[in-house]
Amino acid sequence: MSTAPDQPGPGRPTQPAAASAHTEKGPAPVTSGSEPRVRTGGCLCGHIQYEVTGDPDDPHLCACRHETRISGAPAVLWVGFPRKSLRWVGPGGEPTWYASWPTLHRGFCPRCGSQLVSDAYDSAMVMVTAFSLDDPTGTTPVGFSFRDEAVPWMTVQLASEPAEATP
């Protein structure tokens, strides 16, 4: 999912799914056969946790004004997964949402403030912050949105294609 120059990042809230058990025993389980991989992630304090299914899509950095203000960092690494695969599984349920653009909402933990997801109204993908994933394998950035707005001291070498996810 590429970001249009006039819209920062992706985001709209999804409905919470039924809660399931979350374990903090390492990376997300890998399914057998041709079933897509389930990945887990969450906030710093563990209150908001999620699962997404599938291969990482469009891992990219974004240095737009919204990202740098929200994160306090020079850029945020986003990675997409099918919106319909997102499930909120932690004790806090769904995150708190903030509309940072008319067609874009971002989900964050109301306790620790961790930014977790960005969801655009017109997208089949939901973007998660790559480092909120318990296992960020396959999220090496291949794109850099708003590169011209990045701080001048930041240099980035992008991957030519997404890294293969390993079981």
Side-chain angles (χ1 to χ4, degrees):
M1 161 193 266
S2 294
T3 308
D6 62 336
Q7 286 188 338
R12 178 184 84 134
T14 59
Q15 295 299 314
S20 68
H22 177 76
T23 169
E24 300 207 358
K25 296 182 181 176
V30 177
T31 57
S32 62
S34 62
E35 293 181 36
R37 179 177 178 183
V38 175
R39 292 174 181 252
T40 57
C43 67
L44 179 63
C45 73
H47 185 64
I48 305 293
Q49 298 166 0
Y50 64 86
E51 291 179 352
V52 286
T53 305
D55 295 325
D57 185 47
D58 188 30
H60 68 279
L61 292 164
C62 184
C64 74
R65 180 77 170 148
H66 291 174
E67 300 300 350
T68 56
R69 279 295 193 129
I70 289 171
S71 69
V76 174
L77 178 56
W78 292 104
V79 61
F81 291 92
R83 175 188 283 150
K84 65 183 178 185
S85 79
L86 176 65
R87 293 177 11 110
W88 301 108
V89 298
E94 192 168 338
T96 297
W97 293 95
Y98 175 75
S100 62
W101 195 256
T103 60
L104 184 98
H105 292 175
R106 299 165 191 276
F108 64 94
C109 176
R111 286 188 179 174
C112 68
S114 296
Q115 182 179 198
L116 300 169
V117 298
S118 183
D119 192 12
Y121 288 139
D122 62 351
S123 178
M125 302 298 286
V126 64
M127 304 304 282
V128 302
T129 52
F131 293 104
S132 71
L133 288 165
D134 294 329
D135 176 11
T137 302
T139 64
T140 303
V142 297
F144 193 167
S145 301
F146 296 88
R147 180 190 300 241
D148 58 330
E149 294 181 28
V151 292
W153 49 260
M154 186 170 150
T155 58
V156 174
Q157 181 175 348
L158 300 173
S160 57
E161 58 187 61
E164 294 282 325
T166 54

